[in-house]
């Protein structure tokens, strides 16, 4: 397995790839992206952002309008899907209901005309990998959703593909089963040294499983990096709102901080080409806000509600200007009286260029206001 700490040799390369369905609107815009050998890369973004179109072009189900896609250094734009040696796992499993589990897993091998003994040996190994050795004789309808997804995963791995593509594979599962399958997929990725390109709109799934995440918005990658980097150092307000939860406030850049509408000067880290007096959008995560009336920079507010969530509690605080901020505290922490003072460090608060109305609506939809 490649050394995760060092650079990876590129298995997949997108070079200036574009895709349009109507000749006018670009579903994917000038995509330049590499996938390292043995890497788990997640394409993350809301519906219509271009991530599934990108996956379909890599799989061979769609052809790029412009640019080219390289697989192991060779262009594959005109190569049909069955010649790309790529495994696919879909959200709806796509299992054949009239076949047994073993027959479903064997299907990619039978179409490649492998000998019967080789097929049986590979199917047995694949079912063992997903811990379904005893289920080979059952039909898909006799399995749970999680078991069906494991069969689909075994079928994608049985012919030892160069690359495995997964399109929202856990979207139909309930929360506990989805979390369990995340662990299973990550276990197989690490044990087998698989190269995985994974599509999801679930940011927690992306943070949990990925070596690297590429965030899509309006057909383009707006930021890519390790999960920790995207969470702690977003480069746009959209990424700040989409990756995890965030509070957003409007203000004006003033020196080392931001002047809020109520007149308070709060510390913040400017992102991008900003100057004093510029209108900005401020983002600060709930867990970074403290209730500290003695802080030199503090924001007065009134506690409106407390929500107990097991491992933490969410305190909602309404500011004098009407905005409501979420504060994440320990389960037993005491928020004090109704009147509180909020504070945070400049390193934990990021100031982005002010957004126009459509950008603000989209960002607020994913962030926390």
């Amino acid at each position: 397995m490649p050394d995760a700490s060092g650079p990876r040799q590129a298995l997949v390369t997108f070079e200036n790839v574009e895709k349009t369905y109507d000749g006018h609107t670009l579903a994917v815009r000038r995509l330049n992206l590499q996938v390292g050998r043995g890497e788990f890369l997640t394409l993350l973004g809301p519906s219509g952002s271009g991530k599934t179109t990108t996956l379909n072009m890599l799989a061979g189900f769609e052809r790029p309008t412009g640019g080219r896609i390289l697989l192991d250094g060779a262009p594959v734009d005109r190569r049909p899907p069955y010649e790309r040696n790529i495994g696919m796992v879909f959200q709806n499993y796509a299992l054949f209901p009239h076949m047994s589990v073993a027959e479903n897993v064997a299907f990619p091998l039978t179409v490649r005309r492998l000998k019967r003994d080789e097929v049986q040996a590979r199917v047995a190994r694949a079912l063992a990998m997903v811990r379904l050795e005893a289920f080979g004789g059952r039909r898909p309808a006799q399995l749970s959703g999680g078991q069906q997804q494991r069969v689909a995963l075994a079928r994608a791995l049985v012919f030892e593909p160069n690359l495995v593509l997964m399109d929202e594979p856990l979207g139909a599962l309930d929360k506990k089963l989805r979390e369990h399958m995340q662990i299973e997929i990550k276990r197989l990725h690490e044990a087998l040294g698989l190269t995985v390109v994974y599509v999801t709109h679930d940011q927690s799934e992306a943070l949990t499983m990925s070596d690297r995440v590429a965030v899509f918005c309006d057909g383009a990658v707006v930021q890519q990096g390790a999960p920790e980097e995207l969470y702690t150092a977003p480069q746009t307000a959209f990424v700040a709102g989409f990756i995890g939860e965030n509070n957003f406030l409007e203000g004006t850049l003033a020196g080392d901080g931001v002047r809020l509408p109520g007149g308070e000067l709060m510390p913040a880290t400017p992102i991008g080409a900003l100057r004093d007096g510029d209108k900005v959008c401020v983002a600060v995560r709930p867990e970074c806000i403290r209730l500290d009336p003695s802080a030199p920079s503090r924001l007065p507010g009134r506690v409106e509600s407390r929500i107990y969530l097991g491992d933490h509690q969410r305190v909602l605080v309404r500011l004098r200007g009407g905005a409501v901020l979420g504060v994440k505290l320990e389960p037993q922490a005491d928020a004090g009286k109704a009147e509180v003072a909020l504070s945070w460090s400049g390193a934990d608060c990021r100031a982005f260029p002010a957004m126009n109305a459509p950008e603000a609506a989209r960002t607020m939809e994913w962030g926390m206001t």
Side-chain angles (χ1 to χ4, degrees):
M1 184 174 178
D3 180 6
S5 63
R8 301 173 187 263
Q9 179 186 6
L11 178 63
V12 176
T13 302
F14 291 86
E15 293 183 349
N16 297 316
V17 171
E18 295 190 336
K19 177 65 178 178
T20 178
Y21 293 99
D22 59 8
H24 301 287
T25 305
L26 288 174
V28 174
R29 297 186 284 118
R30 296 190 64 81
L31 176 63
N32 290 283
L33 184 67
Q34 289 190 338
V35 185
R37 194 178 299 275
E39 183 178 26
F40 196 118
L41 173 70
T42 294
L43 311 183
L44 175 68
S47 298
S49 60
K51 58 190 188 301
T52 295
T53 298
T54 297
L55 194 79
N56 286 339
M57 288 191 291
L58 178 54
F61 303 144
E62 299 283 355
R63 183 171 291 179
T65 307
R68 64 176 188 163
I69 301 172
L70 306 178
L71 181 59
D72 211 8
V76 294
D77 309 315
R78 298 187 178 277
R79 192 185 301 176
Y82 58 84
E83 292 183 0
R84 300 190 183 198
N85 197 35
I86 292 176
M88 284 289 300
V89 183
F90 302 94
Q91 181 176 350
N92 63 358
Y93 316 136
L95 301 177
F96 299 113
H98 63 287
M99 292 183 179
S100 69
V101 166
E103 290 169 338
N104 267 281
V105 175
F107 183 77
L109 304 177
T110 56
V111 298
R112 288 168 170 79
R113 302 184 182 279
L114 270 68
K115 294 181 179 180
R116 178 178 297 180
D117 289 348
E118 178 69 11
V119 169
Q120 291 177 344
R122 288 200 184 194
V123 169
R125 287 199 299 269
L127 289 177
M129 280 191 298
V130 297
R131 302 173 184 176
L132 289 177
E133 302 97 317
F135 293 80
R138 298 193 187 183
R139 296 288 177 87
Q142 297 174 298
L143 304 180
S144 67
Q147 290 170 334
Q148 290 183 49
Q149 190 57 281
R150 289 188 187 192
V151 175
L153 186 57
R155 184 180 60 186
L157 299 177
V158 71
F159 60 96
E160 300 176 357
N162 295 329
L163 175 66
V164 179
L165 309 182
M166 301 189 183
D167 188 7
E168 303 275 7
L170 309 182
L173 305 180
D174 62 49
K175 184 177 184 295
K176 283 191 175 181
L177 189 53
R178 188 165 64 247
E179 292 173 349
H180 178 72
M181 283 303 300
Q182 289 172 9
I183 296 172
E184 286 294 298
I185 292 172
K186 191 63 179 174
R187 177 184 67 83
L188 288 171
H189 163 251
E190 293 175 348
L192 302 176
L194 298 174
T195 304
V196 178
V197 178
Y198 191 99
V199 163
T200 185
H201 65 274
D202 185 329
Q203 48 89 10
S204 64
E205 198 166 272
L207 294 177
T208 299
M209 303 175 70
S210 312
D211 297 322
R212 186 163 54 97
V213 180
V215 182
F216 278 70
C217 181
D218 293 336
V221 174
V222 293
Q223 189 176 348
Q224 58 179 298
E228 297 87 350
E229 177 186 349
L230 294 179
Y231 189 87
T232 59
Q235 295 302 304
T236 68
F238 174 80
V239 175
F242 197 82
I243 304 292
E245 296 179 342
N246 243 316
N247 296 286
F248 290 95
L249 293 169
E250 294 180 346
T252 303
L253 196 66
D256 294 331
V258 171
R259 183 78 61 184
L260 300 179
E264 302 88 357
L265 182 63
M266 300 298 291
T269 300
I271 305 299
L274 293 171
R275 297 179 298 179
D276 279 7
D278 285 351
K279 298 294 184 182
V280 293
C281 169
V282 177
V284 58
R285 297 197 182 277
E287 66 271 21
C288 296
I289 300 177
R290 300 184 296 272
L291 301 181
D292 185 2
S294 63
S297 298
R298 53 190 180 275
L299 194 59
R302 173 178 289 272
V303 174
E304 287 212 332
S305 64
R306 294 178 175 86
I307 305 169
Y308 177 74
L309 295 170
D311 61 341
H312 71 280
Q313 62 173 314
R314 183 65 48 80
V315 178
L316 300 181
V317 179
R318 184 172 295 278
L319 307 182
R320 291 186 300 195
V324 176
L325 299 188
V327 183
K328 188 175 181 179
L329 300 177
E330 295 293 327
Q332 306 305 322
D334 184 5
K337 301 177 181 179
E339 299 294 334
V340 295
L342 308 181
S343 67
W344 56 73
S345 72
D348 293 330
C349 180
R350 299 174 80 79
F352 303 100
M355 298 176 287
N356 57 36
E359 289 175 328
R362 182 174 57 200
T363 300
M364 297 307 177
E365 177 183 358
W366 295 109
M368 191 180 88
T369 58

